[in-house]
Amino acid sequence: MQNVQNSMSIKFESRSVNEAFARQTVAAFVAQLDPTLEELNDIKTAVSEAVTNAIVHGYADRLGYITVSAKLLEGGKIEIKVKDSGRGIADIEKAREPMFTTGDDTRSGMGFTIMESFMDKLRVRSTEGKGTIVTMLRTLTLRDGVR
């Protein structure tokens, strides 16, 4: 297990207006590692997708809470978890297929694919009726004087 250099956690209601709050909060936290703009935008996009999934799919029919936590690990690594206590995912493998969605026809079905493309690792754990935890890992470019 790698040493945690710093960590944070936020909990908020599953309202769509809070997606930007989560994205910006994680970006501000990660900024201490002096990421490139591309790295920062990749992380913000992945967080947006994970939080949007929790809002749209996890809590499709009700309001609930989402917890976003982040850990800065040795070697410029960041681990981000997005957790909800919503409906859960019946078939994780199916849900991770591009273009698959349980949402309406305005949903692209690309959330997990986008998260995977912007992060180094993506793990999804879910239990129907209890919720989902999406864990994402990204290693940032080490730059002089940082870390």
Side-chain angles (χ1 to χ4, degrees):
M1 185 72 178
Q2 293 181 317
N3 288 336
V4 175
Q5 305 288 310
N6 198 0
S7 64
M8 70 87 168
S9 181
I10 55 172
K11 183 177 182 177
F12 50 89
E13 287 186 332
S14 61
R15 299 179 189 278
S16 61
V17 296
N18 288 332
E19 175 271 325
F21 166 69
R23 178 180 68 236
Q24 297 297 356
T25 302
V26 172
F29 182 72
V30 172
Q32 64 192 286
L33 293 181
D34 194 24
T36 65
L37 284 177
E38 182 180 358
E39 290 170 331
L40 198 56
N41 286 331
D42 289 353
I43 289 167
K44 287 165 61 174
T45 300
V47 169
S48 291
E49 291 296 330
V51 170
T52 297
N53 274 0
I55 293 167
V56 171
H57 303 292
Y59 295 114
D61 54 351
R62 65 184 171 96
L63 200 58
Y65 286 94
I66 298 168
T67 301
V68 176
S69 59
K71 293 179 185 175
L72 302 181
L73 308 171
E74 289 178 330
K77 291 178 173 46
I78 179 158
E79 178 189 85
I80 302 163
K81 289 187 180 187
V82 178
K83 178 182 178 187
D84 68 67
S85 300
R87 296 189 306 189
I89 302 170
D91 185 341
I92 293 172
E93 291 306 312
K94 185 76 174 165
R96 290 181 74 159
E97 290 177 9
M99 309 306 286
F100 176 82
T101 184
T102 59
D104 61 28
D105 61 5
T106 65
R107 314 293 346 154
S108 71
M110 295 297 290
F112 286 128
T113 303
I114 291 168
M115 285 179 248
E116 284 179 310
S117 70
F118 288 125
M119 303 302 277
D120 297 329
K121 290 184 182 176
L122 176 73
R123 185 175 74 222
V124 182
R125 293 188 348 229
S126 189
T127 303
E128 280 191 275
K130 296 196 179 209
T132 301
I133 301 172
V134 174
T135 304
M136 302 176 281
L137 187 68
R138 173 79 183 250
T139 302
L140 303 177
T141 304
L142 293 171
R143 301 204 272 176
D144 291 339
V146 180
R147 297 179 263 313

